[in-house]
Amino acid sequence: MKLLPFEKPLAELYDKIEQLRKLSEEGNIDLSGEILKIEQRAEKLRLEIYKNLNPSQIVQIARHPNRPDSGSLIRLIFDTFIELHGDRLFADDPAIVGGVGTLGAARVVIVGHQKGHDTKENIFRNFGMPNPDGYRKALRLMQMAERFRMPIITFIDTPGAYPGLEAEERGQAEAIARNLREMAGFSVPIISFVIGEGGSGGALGIGVANKLYMLENAVYSVISPEGCASILFRDAKKADVAANAMKITAPEIVKLGVADGIIPEPLGGGHHDWKAVAFEIERAITSDLDIFKSKAESEIKQQRYDKFRKMGVFVS
Amino acid sequence: MKLLPFEKPLAELYDKIEQLRKLSEEGNIDLSGEILKIEQRAEKLRLEIYKNLNPSQIVQIARHPNRPDSGSLIRLIFDTFIELHGDRLFADDPAIVGGVGTLGAARVVIVGHQKGHDTKENIFRNFGMPNPDGYRKALRLMQMAERFRMPIITFIDTPGAYPGLEAEERGQAEAIARNLREMAGFSVPIISFVIGEGGSGGALGIGVANKLYMLENAVYSVISPEGCASILFRDAKKADVAANAMKITAPEIVKLGVADGIIPEPLGGGHHDWKAVAFEIERAITSDLDIFKSKAESEIKQQRYDKFRKMGVFVS
Amino acid sequence: MSIIDWFAKKEKNISSAERLNIPGDVWVKCTSCSEILFQKDLDSHCKVCSKCGFHFRISPAERIRYIFDHESFVEYDSNVGPVDFLGFFDTESYSDRIRKAQQKFDRNDAIVSGVGSIGSVPVNASIMDFFYMGGSMGSVVGEKITRTIERSIDDLKPVVVFTSSGGARMQEGIMSLMQMAKTSAALERLAEKRVPYISVLCDPTTGGTSASFAILGDVNIAEPGALISFAGPRVIEQTIRQKLPKGFQRAEFLLKHGMVDMVVDRRQLRETLQTLLQALNPHGVLAK
Amino acid sequence: MSIIDWFAKKEKNISSAERLNIPGDVWVKCTSCSEILFQKDLDSHCKVCSKCGFHFRISPAERIRYIFDHESFVEYDSNVGPVDFLGFFDTESYSDRIRKAQQKFDRNDAIVSGVGSIGSVPVNASIMDFFYMGGSMGSVVGEKITRTIERSIDDLKPVVVFTSSGGARMQEGIMSLMQMAKTSAALERLAEKRVPYISVLCDPTTGGTSASFAILGDVNIAEPGALISFAGPRVIEQTIRQKLPKGFQRAEFLLKHGMVDMVVDRRQLRETLQTLLQALNPHGVLAK
Ligand SMILES: [Zn+2]
Ligand SMILES: [Zn+2]
């Protein structure tokens, strides 16, 4: 598993423990006292590190190559899932996965950004950066959800919509904007989870939800810290400062009223235990679906509208 | 003006008249008696020719390069017209024109296939053969009509949807099929005119109407006579036989219950007088809009459904 | 339109499988990989070559056997039959063509409709038959598809249609074209009733059939390798004056271009349909 | 996002027209063709170069003068102003940026909203101002656009929005992103009320603005030459590592690619809007 830069001190301690163990075995010496001491130190350090993560460290966790991806979470969470493909217009975009599934007695449509875990997968998935076709596939599936009265679950995990030549030609702006408008009009509940990176309009394009949850180490921002740094701070290396300034972590997004709750992750980040992450998400879905079940369609639509209507801070 | 093959005998008489006139003038001889006789013969022949046109001759008129086109008719018929462009997905297809217009107090959306009158125009308009983008543009405009409660007027004039590689890639079948379904669901009235060639699914793609009119010399067929001949008759040269067998002329289409009426053309075909054609179409539109104005939305939709529901001849 | 292919191939092999010169008809040669297959094995694999996965074209009876729950299928509208109302004559009269086909297939037209269940999920279904006049859509096909949809508008069961068709039936002239509108209009009503419609596109699905109900599924499933096109490959080659790329207009191509949701092996089709129908149907058991 | 362009060009000329070194400011040089234009003439041509047709960027006040009926425009929501609620500091604090911009433009933010009439057709309108912090969309722009739409949801007048924006206002973090959803949601409600919305996309309309209300017009009209993009040209060039073709992401390019309905010369815009609004509006005079 890839170690993140800020995990280095911890790794060093673990290495030392490993060395001592080996020494103890090979030399048949009892080093258990020393080992225990370092282990305690490591545990203390571990708690310290992960309790005091700064925003740019959280960004690293959110982008960890082993971070649980939409497709895997979907298969861990739902009882049945059938992936559906295509926008019925131009292409099937691998950067968006979607389909129909069941969870207990609930029938749902699921849509998510899809990243890969290695270079090959990432190239195929375009690093989770959808083309317009991806947003249009998502829309088609969500419209189907609306038709068949199925709640919509979305998983957000993208650096942003793909800034490519053909993406612009085919109307990246239009595809995202249309999703924003259409999602606002649905009368089935929409529950969204930012599971990794929530990058800009490309994230929001499947995120106009009744309930939005941030995974503990997920981030959500109007522009990537790097982008913000290079534009506002005139120095791409100031990404950590930008990450801090923009307020992009789960607690901050909740505090701003944009997210409704935080999904806990195992210590050290979701990449250490996908099943644990899936379990927590499943719990949130089940509980919310239960609540929405008793609500009228008009109420569901109104609640979503009100939620976004009140977003903004200004004087008047 | 291009002469059609079957007009040759008539042309010969006109030539003779012209020659006699010249002779009379140059030689200062009185040939008025002879001229009058030939003129009478010509008039008789003219009536005879145009009263007894066979289907393949009518096909020739329907395809005449000077046949009035959708764009010109729109501008002749409506008081105001603003052309709108694009499918908001991929392209603006010049083989379909569309926009919003007014006719007296009526606000309408107009959509039509667009052919050209010369090679350059025809290449630009792809000979009136739309790509999927054309059908999607049409659909977008018709959906706007539905939203703003504007009756829809369509002009059908295409050899068929374009059988191109990219057209297939982008879903020609899907684009046409979707239009058929969506048009069936609109609650604003749709009035369609086959003004020239009504070729196959490419014609029907904007033709699911409450009222369908054939221009007197328009044709409407499931496949071009040439296509039918080469498949069923195993001989592309038997197009005239196929044209006859398929029953594609205005009276036959009306008789089969597919069209509701015939719009008269000037003798010899609409290409002799565009304004006259426009005037007749305008009359039909005005009269129909007047009728539909008093109908409920549900009634309009039901009437269109019933119209297509009963199409088909079978035993049971 | 692209019924052209059916006519062109007519003299050659369009039967479900090439018979070998062995008495008893027990062995069959795969059209794709030439493997010699035991007829009975082939049948137990839903007529899919166990070596190369080639999907043989199959009859409605076979499809019912492979997909529907045992003895669940009850046919409807079998009495609806074609009429030569234009008095159409090409190399042969349409009346004669109808008569011969009806004799050969002991069925009125290129489609079977009915009600049945797939993994205990009740559906209204229509199954087209390419062997019968190239699966061409005339008044009967259009009417029977429409009635299937209308049954679902009434009883709210999902609709499943298996398509296999060369396109419109030219011998019925403009009336065959109108079947595209008639069936599509019925699907609009079905959607208003929130009843799912699954289209299973089988080889080949072309022309007017592809540009109406075949492509309008809430979910479109294609069989592997199925040719699915509006304009036939030959017409396109004539238009663009070049050879088409390999795989063009095949199921997998359509998947890539976003037109079908899935390409599903016939041997897994039954299960896929069952799971899908249960998830989609707001009027089904799960929804209650 | 593509507000990058605004920042990059900031030091250069982003004023409406290059002033010449002649006392009295009566002459102006065309940014495009370098023609020397008489300031007053330019104003009488809606700030369009009479030689090459170049459309100068203009202020909301100018736009109101060129498009709306004389003295018909009444401003609303001018009191809505921005807040530095994140305590954002980059090279300068957001508070300071706001204060300076407000002083310079004597206006609270990068947008003017109001009610007015265009050729006697009453509309609710918003007009963005690229000169004010690159027309960036923060809470105020989002709120004022939304209120304009909401007024139309109430009084059923059509909505006309003139966009000119580099995208989201990063200094308001995630809240600026949410304005995309807020405004688009309001447009969904407007559509349900069957009230037409015309978006006039002016140079430049990029980033989050382009991917929300700007592109969602029932009719999208672009000014000639306007840059309209989601990702900015520079970002795309970095991504694909090649130069972009000439005219890429310009109004005419979007017309060809089906994203805008029309590219209309500013001098004809008023008339076009009038005709369009009359034809579209089911609640207007023609409809009665
Ligand atoms: Zn094989
Ligand atoms: Zn100039």
Side-chain angles (χ1 to χ4, degrees):
Chain A
M1 187 106 65
K2 188 196 157 191
L3 272 177
L4 300 171
F6 64 87
E7 292 175 322
K8 288 264 158 73
L10 198 55
E12 280 161 18
L13 289 184
Y14 286 144
D15 276 353
K16 197 169 262 169
I17 293 168
E18 201 48 44
Q19 281 166 20
L20 288 178
R21 283 228 172 93
K22 228 175 186 174
L23 204 71
S24 152
E25 262 174 43
E26 285 165 4
N28 216 352
I29 332 167
D30 183 12
L31 297 172
S32 53
E34 280 79 0
I35 291 175
L36 188 68
K37 244 194 260 167
I38 305 180
E39 276 180 344
Q40 283 165 343
R41 223 168 79 208
E43 188 56 21
K44 215 180 132 200
L45 180 64
R46 202 165 79 101
L47 290 169
E48 217 167 278
I49 286 179
Y50 292 124
K51 284 237 161 119
N52 296 294
L53 292 171
N54 65 39
S56 85
Q57 288 167 335
I58 292 175
V59 168
Q60 291 169 48
I61 297 179
R63 292 176 181 167
H64 194 286
N66 288 102
R67 184 130 186 112
D69 61 279
S70 293
S72 302
L73 287 174
I74 290 170
R75 281 157 186 93
L76 287 169
I77 292 166
F78 296 94
D79 301 336
T80 69
F81 176 66
I82 291 197
E83 187 174 354
L84 302 177
H85 293 272
D87 61 356
R88 299 277 169 90
L89 293 165
F90 185 83
D92 178 55
D93 186 346
I96 293 267
V97 293
V100 298
T102 54
L103 183 55
R107 307 150 39 251
V108 297
V109 161
I110 310 140
V111 168
H113 300 101
Q114 184 65 44
K115 288 184 179 180
H117 297 291
D118 57 33
T119 306
K120 199 184 140 192
E121 257 181 48
N122 264 322
I123 287 170
F124 176 63
R125 300 293 185 180
N126 202 29
F127 297 84
M129 294 184 285
N131 277 286
D133 333 310
Y135 294 104
R136 290 173 184 146
K137 168 163 82 172
L139 180 60
R140 176 178 81 84
L141 294 176
M142 293 190 287
Q143 285 169 335
M144 190 167 79
E146 172 80 359
R147 190 176 320 125
F148 300 135
R149 304 191 194 280
M150 303 162 81
I152 297 164
I153 314 292
T154 79
F155 295 108
I156 294 168
D157 189 19
T158 181
Y162 186 58
L165 188 145
E166 293 189 5
E168 291 288 314
E169 277 187 351
R170 296 204 295 274
Q172 192 70 282
E174 195 280 340
I176 291 172
R178 191 192 300 220
N179 281 15
L180 304 184
R181 187 185 61 198
E182 298 291 313
M183 290 181 84
F186 290 145
S187 52
V188 295
I190 305 174
I191 308 172
S192 295
F193 297 86
V194 186
I195 60 170
E197 275 183 286
S200 185
L204 186 61
I206 60 168
V208 183
N210 294 75
K211 286 273 183 184
L212 177 77
Y213 294 95
M214 298 285 295
L215 261 62
E216 193 180 334
N217 295 302
V219 293
Y220 198 3
S221 61
V222 63
I223 182 171
S224 70
E226 293 78 4
C228 179
S230 78
I231 297 172
L232 285 189
F233 297 81
R234 319 243 173 149
D235 183 356
K237 281 176 231 136
K238 290 199 172 155
D240 50 345
V241 186
N244 197 45
M246 284 198 296
K247 313 293 183 225
I248 62 176
T249 64
E252 290 164 324
I253 298 296
V254 168
K255 199 175 141 207
L256 285 165
V258 170
D260 300 287
I262 297 175
I263 305 290
E265 293 183 31
L267 198 69
H271 52 286
H272 291 293
D273 191 347
W274 292 12
K275 277 191 190 163
V277 173
F279 176 76
E280 294 292 342
I281 295 176
E282 183 183 332
R283 226 161 54 160
I285 295 174
T286 310
S287 145
D288 274 356
L289 286 184
D290 216 50
I291 293 166
F292 282 120
K293 215 156 58 180
S294 61
K295 300 219 189 289
E297 294 187 348
S298 59
E299 208 178 338
I300 288 167
K301 196 167 150 181
Q302 185 70 44
Q303 181 254 316
R304 193 188 311 113
Y305 190 85
D306 293 343
K307 178 179 160 75
F308 284 93
R309 179 62 189 89
K310 64 170 188 259
M311 284 187 192
V313 183
F314 50 85
V315 289
S316 67
Chain B
M1 188 109 64
K2 189 195 158 191
L3 270 178
L4 299 171
F6 63 86
E7 292 174 321
K8 286 267 160 69
L10 197 56
E12 279 161 19
L13 289 185
Y14 286 145
D15 275 355
K16 198 169 265 171
I17 292 168
E18 200 50 42
Q19 279 166 20
L20 288 179
R21 280 225 175 97
K22 227 176 188 174
L23 205 69
S24 152
E25 260 175 46
E26 285 166 3
N28 217 347
I29 331 167
D30 183 12
L31 297 172
S32 53
E34 282 78 0
I35 291 174
L36 188 68
K37 245 194 261 166
I38 306 179
E39 276 179 346
Q40 283 165 345
R41 223 166 80 208
E43 188 55 21
K44 215 179 130 198
L45 180 65
R46 202 164 81 100
L47 290 168
E48 216 168 278
I49 287 178
Y50 292 125
K51 284 235 162 124
N52 296 293
L53 293 170
N54 65 39
S56 86
Q57 289 167 336
I58 292 174
V59 169
Q60 291 170 47
I61 297 179
R63 292 174 180 169
H64 194 287
N66 289 102
R67 184 130 186 112
D69 61 279
S70 293
S72 303
L73 287 174
I74 290 168
R75 281 157 184 92
L76 287 169
I77 292 167
F78 297 93
D79 301 335
T80 69
F81 176 67
I82 291 197
E83 188 175 353
L84 301 177
H85 293 272
D87 62 357
R88 298 278 169 89
L89 293 164
F90 186 81
D92 178 55
D93 186 345
I96 293 267
V97 291
V100 298
T102 54
L103 183 55
R107 306 151 39 250
V108 297
V109 160
I110 310 140
V111 168
H113 300 102
Q114 183 66 44
K115 290 185 178 179
H117 297 290
D118 57 34
T119 307
K120 199 185 142 193
E121 257 181 49
N122 263 322
I123 287 171
F124 176 63
R125 300 293 184 180
N126 203 28
F127 297 84
M129 294 184 287
N131 277 285
D133 334 309
Y135 293 104
R136 290 173 183 145
K137 168 163 82 172
L139 180 60
R140 176 178 80 83
L141 295 176
M142 293 190 287
Q143 285 169 333
M144 190 167 79
E146 174 79 358
R147 190 176 319 126
F148 300 134
R149 305 191 194 281
M150 302 162 81
I152 296 164
I153 315 292
T154 80
F155 296 107
I156 294 167
D157 189 19
T158 182
Y162 185 59
L165 188 145
E166 293 189 5
E168 291 288 314
E169 277 187 352
R170 295 205 297 274
Q172 191 71 281
E174 195 280 340
I176 291 173
R178 191 192 297 221
N179 281 16
L180 302 184
R181 187 184 63 197
E182 298 292 313
M183 289 181 84
F186 291 145
S187 52
V188 295
I190 304 174
I191 308 170
S192 294
F193 297 85
V194 186
I195 60 170
E197 276 184 285
S200 186
L204 186 60
I206 59 168
V208 182
N210 293 75
K211 286 275 182 182
L212 176 76
Y213 294 95
M214 300 282 295
L215 259 62
E216 192 180 335
N217 294 301
V219 294
Y220 198 3
S221 61
V222 64
I223 183 172
S224 70
E226 293 79 5
C228 179
S230 78
I231 298 171
L232 285 189
F233 296 82
R234 318 243 173 150
D235 183 355
K237 281 176 228 136
K238 289 200 174 157
D240 50 346
V241 186
N244 196 45
M246 285 198 294
K247 313 291 181 228
I248 63 177
T249 64
E252 291 164 324
I253 298 297
V254 168
K255 199 176 140 204
L256 285 165
V258 170
D260 301 285
I262 298 174
I263 304 290
E265 293 184 29
L267 198 70
H271 52 287
H272 290 294
D273 190 348
W274 293 11
K275 277 191 190 163
V277 172
F279 177 77
E280 294 292 342
I281 295 175
E282 183 184 331
R283 229 165 49 164
I285 294 174
T286 310
S287 146
D288 274 357
L289 287 184
D290 216 50
I291 293 166
F292 283 119
K293 215 157 59 181
S294 62
K295 300 222 189 288
E297 294 187 349
S298 59
E299 206 178 338
I300 288 166
K301 196 168 152 182
Q302 186 68 44
Q303 181 255 315
R304 193 188 311 114
Y305 190 85
D306 293 343
K307 179 180 159 77
F308 284 92
R309 178 64 190 87
K310 64 169 188 260
M311 284 187 193
V313 183
F314 51 84
V315 289
S316 69
Chain C
M1 214 165 307
S2 29
I3 201 165
I4 195 171
D5 298 312
W6 179 72
F7 275 92
K9 282 185 192 160
K10 205 179 167 184
E11 280 86 57
K12 287 188 252 156
N13 161 45
I14 68 146
S15 74
S16 59
E18 196 179 329
R19 259 94 181 126
L20 294 178
N21 208 0
I22 300 169
D25 253 9
V26 290
W27 294 96
V28 162
K29 193 164 139 191
C30 172
T31 317
S32 174
C33 74
S34 298
E35 178 81 356
I36 307 296
L37 304 161
F38 191 46
Q39 180 76 270
K40 227 175 156 181
D41 284 348
L42 189 60
D43 194 49
S44 73
H45 289 99
C46 307
K47 287 257 167 96
V48 175
C49 172
S50 51
K51 192 179 172 210
C52 75
F54 176 76
H55 282 55
F56 288 82
R57 287 179 184 160
I58 58 176
S59 70
E62 288 169 314
R63 206 171 285 285
I64 290 167
R65 207 159 69 232
Y66 301 149
I67 303 291
F68 287 81
D69 297 345
H70 185 61
E71 296 200 333
S72 73
F73 193 88
V74 178
E75 192 176 353
Y76 275 82
D77 304 325
S78 63
N79 58 326
V80 181
V83 178
D84 181 14
F85 56 93
L86 296 182
F88 198 99
F89 190 98
D90 43 78
T91 56
E92 192 179 353
S93 81
Y94 181 38
S95 304
D96 285 348
R97 286 192 194 274
I98 292 171
R99 196 174 34 76
K100 285 183 194 168
Q102 288 178 339
Q103 275 168 5
K104 185 170 172 195
F105 294 96
D106 194 25
R107 201 190 317 118
N108 267 325
D109 209 313
I111 189 164
V112 172
S113 289
V115 59
S117 62
I118 299 172
S120 299
V121 182
V123 299
N124 290 303
S126 285
I127 302 131
M128 298 184 81
D129 183 3
F130 187 72
F131 301 123
Y132 188 117
M133 291 183 73
S136 58
M137 168 164 61
S139 298
V140 174
V141 167
E143 180 68 20
K144 286 179 76 170
I145 293 275
T146 304
R147 287 190 188 182
T148 293
I149 298 164
E150 284 175 339
R151 271 192 286 277
S152 283
I153 290 171
D154 284 346
D155 67 18
L156 306 180
K157 286 176 195 150
V159 177
V160 180
V161 174
F162 299 86
T163 65
S164 188
S165 165
R169 189 170 292 172
M170 287 166 282
Q171 292 92 342
E172 295 191 14
I174 198 72
M175 211 49 98
S176 64
L177 187 70
M178 292 303 123
Q179 304 311 308
M180 293 169 64
K182 182 164 92 180
T183 52
S184 303
L187 287 174
E188 169 64 26
R189 289 213 159 172
L190 187 76
E192 285 169 14
K193 286 276 194 164
R194 303 177 188 278
V195 176
Y197 161 48
I198 297 182
S199 175
V200 183
L201 297 98
C202 309
D203 185 59
T205 297
T206 63
T209 302
S210 81
S212 56
F213 57 89
I215 206 82
L216 288 176
D218 293 304
V219 175
N220 290 335
I221 299 176
E223 285 201 337
L227 176 74
I228 301 162
S229 71
F230 180 61
R234 213 162 311 184
V235 176
I236 298 172
E237 285 184 344
Q238 280 165 14
T239 308
I240 65 169
R241 286 185 195 123
Q242 59 187 70
K243 269 282 185 208
L244 293 170
K246 203 174 147 12
F248 184 70
Q249 297 182 321
R250 295 288 165 182
E252 298 73 17
F253 175 92
L254 270 87
L255 181 67
K256 197 176 149 236
H257 287 281
M259 296 300 151
V260 302
D261 286 278
M262 284 183 280
V263 176
V264 178
D265 190 300
R266 196 182 288 152
R267 291 164 291 189
Q268 274 83 57
L269 188 52
R270 180 193 154 82
E271 206 193 318
T272 303
L273 283 171
Q274 181 196 16
T275 312
L276 251 181
L277 288 167
Q278 281 177 336
L280 285 178
N281 191 6
H283 313 288
V285 173
L286 249 185
K288 278 161 192 165
Chain D
M1 220 163 304
S2 28
I3 200 166
I4 195 172
D5 297 314
W6 181 71
F7 275 92
K9 283 186 190 157
K10 205 178 167 185
E11 281 87 55
K12 287 189 250 155
N13 160 46
I14 68 146
S15 73
S16 60
E18 196 180 329
R19 259 94 182 128
L20 294 179
N21 207 0
I22 299 169
D25 254 8
V26 291
W27 295 96
V28 162
K29 194 164 139 192
C30 172
T31 317
S32 176
C33 73
S34 299
E35 179 81 356
I36 307 297
L37 304 160
F38 192 46
Q39 181 74 272
K40 227 176 155 180
D41 284 348
L42 188 59
D43 195 51
S44 73
H45 289 99
C46 309
K47 287 256 166 98
V48 175
C49 172
S50 51
K51 194 181 172 210
C52 75
F54 175 76
H55 282 54
F56 288 83
R57 287 179 183 159
I58 58 176
S59 70
E62 287 169 315
R63 207 171 285 283
I64 290 166
R65 207 160 69 232
Y66 301 149
I67 303 292
F68 287 82
D69 297 345
H70 185 60
E71 297 202 330
S72 74
F73 192 89
V74 178
E75 192 175 354
Y76 276 83
D77 302 326
S78 62
N79 57 325
V80 181
V83 178
D84 180 15
F85 56 93
L86 297 181
F88 197 100
F89 189 98
D90 43 77
T91 55
E92 191 179 353
S93 81
Y94 182 38
S95 302
D96 284 348
R97 284 192 195 275
I98 292 170
R99 197 174 33 76
K100 284 184 197 166
Q102 289 178 337
Q103 274 169 5
K104 184 169 170 196
F105 293 95
D106 194 24
R107 199 189 317 117
N108 267 325
D109 210 312
I111 189 164
V112 173
S113 289
V115 57
S117 62
I118 298 172
S120 299
V121 182
V123 299
N124 289 303
S126 285
I127 303 131
M128 298 184 81
D129 184 3
F130 187 73
F131 301 123
Y132 188 117
M133 291 183 73
S136 57
M137 168 164 61
S139 298
V140 173
V141 166
E143 180 69 18
K144 287 179 76 170
I145 293 276
T146 304
R147 289 190 187 182
T148 293
I149 298 165
E150 285 175 339
R151 271 192 286 278
S152 282
I153 290 171
D154 285 344
D155 66 18
L156 306 180
K157 285 175 196 153
V159 176
V160 180
V161 174
F162 299 85
T163 66
S164 187
S165 165
R169 189 171 293 173
M170 287 167 281
Q171 291 93 343
E172 296 191 12
I174 199 70
M175 212 49 98
S176 64
L177 187 70
M178 292 303 124
Q179 305 310 309
M180 292 170 64
K182 183 165 92 178
T183 53
S184 302
L187 287 174
E188 169 64 26
R189 291 213 156 172
L190 186 76
E192 286 170 12
K193 287 278 194 162
R194 303 178 189 277
V195 176
Y197 161 47
I198 298 181
S199 174
V200 183
L201 297 98
C202 309
D203 186 60
T205 296
T206 64
T209 302
S210 80
S212 56
F213 58 89
I215 206 81
L216 289 175
D218 293 302
V219 175
N220 290 335
I221 300 176
E223 285 201 337
L227 176 75
I228 302 163
S229 71
F230 179 60
R234 213 164 310 186
V235 176
I236 298 172
E237 283 185 345
Q238 281 165 14
T239 307
I240 65 170
R241 287 187 195 121
Q242 59 186 72
K243 267 284 186 206
L244 293 170
K246 204 174 147 8
F248 185 70
Q249 297 181 322
R250 295 289 166 181
E252 298 72 16
F253 175 91
L254 271 86
L255 181 67
K256 196 175 151 239
H257 287 281
M259 296 300 151
V260 301
D261 287 277
M262 286 183 278
V263 177
V264 178
D265 190 300
R266 195 182 288 152
R267 291 164 291 189
Q268 274 84 57
L269 187 52
R270 179 194 156 81
E271 207 193 317
T272 303
L273 284 171
Q274 181 196 18
T275 311
L276 251 181
L277 289 167
Q278 282 177 336
L280 285 178
N281 191 5
H283 314 288
V285 172
L286 249 185
K288 280 161 193 166

